[in-house]
Amino acid sequence: QVQLVESGGGLVQPGGSLRLSCAASGAIFNIYAMGWFRQAPGKQRDLVATATSAGSTNYADSVKGRFTISRDNAKNTVYLQMNSLKPEDTAVYYCNVRQYVVSKWSDYWGQGTQVTVSS
């Protein structure tokens, strides 16, 4: 099992910044990718940013140039730096880890952290 604990959410004004953190523990091996997703009330959960173990990154078009995903492998932690925040960024943000073990794909999710962008 992999456990994920998120932190860093909160209330921020438009144009402000937040940094989300996600610390992983447990059976951390054969990890294919780590990423961040978000979900607003009544809407689907959408990809925000991902980072593979090979080092590639991918961002949703809506956050390119504003958000940056990074990792600290020594601490088993992934971060999401969010700059120039907009009201439409308001959502619950979820950390994700994708693992492949014994011919099986598994996804693990953090508890979610609320990000609210409002003036």
Side-chain angles (χ1 to χ4, degrees):
Q1 294 285 87
V2 175
Q3 295 82 43
L4 304 174
V5 179
E6 303 177 33
S7 62
L11 175 65
V12 65
Q13 293 184 336
S17 298
L18 284 174
R19 189 192 191 201
L20 305 183
S21 299
C22 176
S25 62
I28 308 173
F29 58 91
N30 288 7
I31 301 300
Y32 173 73
M34 300 177 290
W36 292 92
F37 293 70
R38 66 187 181 186
Q39 186 172 23
K43 297 184 178 180
Q44 295 182 345
R45 184 175 297 185
D46 295 325
L47 180 147
V48 177
T50 60
T52 69
S53 297
S56 64
T57 58
N58 182 54
Y59 296 90
D61 288 340
S62 60
V63 307
K64 286 182 178 178
R66 299 189 298 121
F67 291 10
T68 303
I69 188 170
S70 61
R71 296 178 298 176
D72 185 336
N73 291 330
K75 297 181 178 180
N76 296 126
T77 301
V78 62
Y79 305 93
L80 185 69
Q81 179 66 46
M82 304 184 294
N83 299 324
S84 302
L85 283 162
K86 305 175 181 179
E88 50 263 44
D89 295 319
T90 296
V92 177
Y93 284 69
Y94 296 92
C95 177
N96 167 260
V97 167
R98 177 161 285 183
Q99 182 184 51
Y100 188 72
V101 180
V102 196
S103 302
K104 178 183 176 182
W105 289 99
S106 297
D107 281 291
Y108 299 91
W109 298 91
Q111 80 279 8
T113 184
Q114 177 71 48
V115 172
T116 302
V117 185
S118 176
S119 60

